[in-house]
Amino acid sequence: MMLRMVWQRMGIGLVTLWVVSVIVFVATSILPGDVAQIILGQAATPETLAAMRAELGLDQPGYIRYFSWLGNMMTGDLGTSKAGGATISSLIGGRIGNTMMMAGLVAIISIPISIALGLWAAMHPGTILDRIVTFGTLSLISVPEFFIATVAVLILAVHLHWLPSTAYMTGDETFGQLIKALAMPLITLVIVVSAQMIRMTRAGILNVMSSPYIEMAILKGVPRGRIILRHAFFNAIGPIINVIALNLAYLVSGVVIVETIFAYPGLAKLMIDGVQTRDLPLVQACAMIFCGTYVVLILIADVGSIVSNPRLRSPK
Amino acid sequence: MTEQTASKSEAEVIADLDAFAELPDAPPKRKFRLTWVGYTSCAVVVFWLAICFIGPSIAPFHEMDMDGDDSFLDAYSGEYGSFHLGTDYLGRDTLSRVLYGARNTIGISLAATLIAYLIGITLGILAAVKGGWIDMGISRVNDAILALPTIMLGLIVIAALGSSIPILIGTAAVIYATSVFRISRALGQDIMVQDYVEVAHTRGEGIWWIIRAEVLPNAAMPLATDFGLRLVFVVLFISSLSFLGLGVQPPASDWGSMVRDNLQGLTYGSWAAIWPALAIASFTIAINLIVDDISAKSGGSLAKKMV
């Protein structure tokens, strides 16, 4: 029962990935404006245009171009960047590690903090501190990421002079320098992601708290802290895994802003540069990586909530 | 004796009426009693909406006038007038640009949200009422778009089409119509199986009458609350794109791009980047607080439906 459901979800995930590739390709390829025209600019004669189209494979029908693009992407050939002519895999290879490192560090720092704070707020609902947490996190999730980043720069870099305001990296700095360069983007992302996670953890636990077996435990005289840690928490694990995966997926949009604001040499910065220069092959490749990661994380959230729910785990 | 029984039955009648009022399908009591937080937030939202209209006429300078003596100055009074919030990176008055920017940021977002609602509700109710392959078709496409991060969709479209205000509005409208579709379809499906809709069917009412008289009024309240949340998301989306330099293009003023342009001034201690950021924050936080207030009053079920 459970295995079948997990396989089913994975199948849906694969289909979604495929649809995503269609959306990305259609949105970037079959639109007004001709890439050959853009490359050649004013100097284009009908003959050179035709030659350029043939070279780029633009004279073929859309579906053939789609499948050759998809096939190339599956075999790791991401094509060549229009600006500079470097292969896209080499461009991405140089950046993806930085973004992964950042996302990983954010996850390691923010998950324990958020679960602890969310649990704590759920254990003391209605108290002043709970209200501060609820109001604070609501405010944080309703402002743009760059607002948090701006305020962080104002306080930590401009007034206190603790940290540099950009995360420029040359690749050969010492560990201490690396930490210093990473600190600012990390702090911003941790705040953004944690706020959402704290809210959802708190809501998840409070939701479980309204079920009959908790009422039973309360009537039995079990202390509140024990109810939450022994009864509520384990039943809320499913929703919490969901929350974590969803928020790591949310990091995808967070990194776009944060890498730009701190000039961090990551994948998102590469993509934004690609959008600005309208380097479509590069944008396609980056979009596929981001969307793919997003779909996989959502899939993990789905599978996680199936696995952690005993009713779905065992056959009826 | 008789008097006693009479009064007793009267009490029973009242009790019965009260019980009836507690039934789930009793008409909801439309009470808008907010806390002071809610009222303050309403005032903030109304203030910014008013600024959208009167902002340009009360602004001391034009948004594009470079009248300041230098860039990134603090508040001062010079030969051209008073710069209450200082100047930006080109020596323009920050206050005037914040006042002008309200029109762009809030106006674009409001337009996009309204269009998203128009598309989303129409298709959502259609899918809920018609069902069958229409529902299947729209829902599958919708799921696929929902499965992508919004900012990625925005980036892809802008990479292909370039950025202009109509494209921004259209992109945001289509992206956020997907979530409106999902909510209105769910609400519509809930309502379509209610007894009163069945009664209306049996009575021989047409499908349009049912949509107009039964479905829409019953879906209105949750959708209205959701509108607030959606507007916040759209404001954040538009200002994030502007912040990336891909939204509203200079020299028009827009809060997101104002933050981006003045970011370098932070290191000189200039607040030119902070003011527009605060403007966005005050608007979005206020809406969220109102929505929070309303859904806290009307029971949790409403809030859960809207996530």
Side-chain angles (χ1 to χ4, degrees), chain A residues 248-259:
Chain A
L248 293 182
Y250 177 74
L251 261 181
V252 167
S253 59
V255 288
V256 174
I257 303 287
V258 168
E259 287 189 1

Side-chain angles (χ1 to χ4, degrees), chain A residues 16 19-20 27-28 31 138-139 142-144 146-147 150 153-154 158 253 256-257 260-261 271-272 276 278 290-291 294, chain B residues 144 147-149 151-152 155-156 159-162 236 239-240 243-244 246 259 263 266 274 277 280-281 284-285 288-289:
Chain A
T16 316
V19 175
V20 166
T28 48
L31 279 169
L138 177 72
S139 310
S142 35
V143 299
F146 59 80
F147 175 72
T150 317
V153 169
L154 185 71
V158 177
S253 59
V256 174
I257 303 287
T260 310
I261 197 169
M271 179 168 175
I272 299 293
Q276 266 153 1
R278 302 186 77 176
F290 276 120
C291 296
Y294 190 80
Chain B
L148 293 172
I151 193 97
M152 282 296 137
L155 291 180
I156 295 169
L161 293 179
L236 296 183
S239 33
S240 294
F243 177 78
L244 294 172
L246 303 168
V259 178
L263 211 51
L266 273 185
I274 301 288
I280 302 176
T284 49
I285 293 179
N288 260 339
L289 286 175

Side-chain angles (χ1 to χ4, degrees), chain A residues 111 193 197 200 238-252 293-294 296-305:
Chain A
I111 293 173
V193 174
M197 272 204 263
M200 288 162 97
I240 289 176
I241 291 178
N242 223 322
V243 169
I244 291 172
L246 284 178
N247 280 285
L248 293 182
Y250 177 74
L251 261 181
V252 167
T293 317
Y294 190 80
V296 169
L297 281 170
I298 302 275
L299 184 68
I300 292 175
D302 257 11
V303 172
S305 52

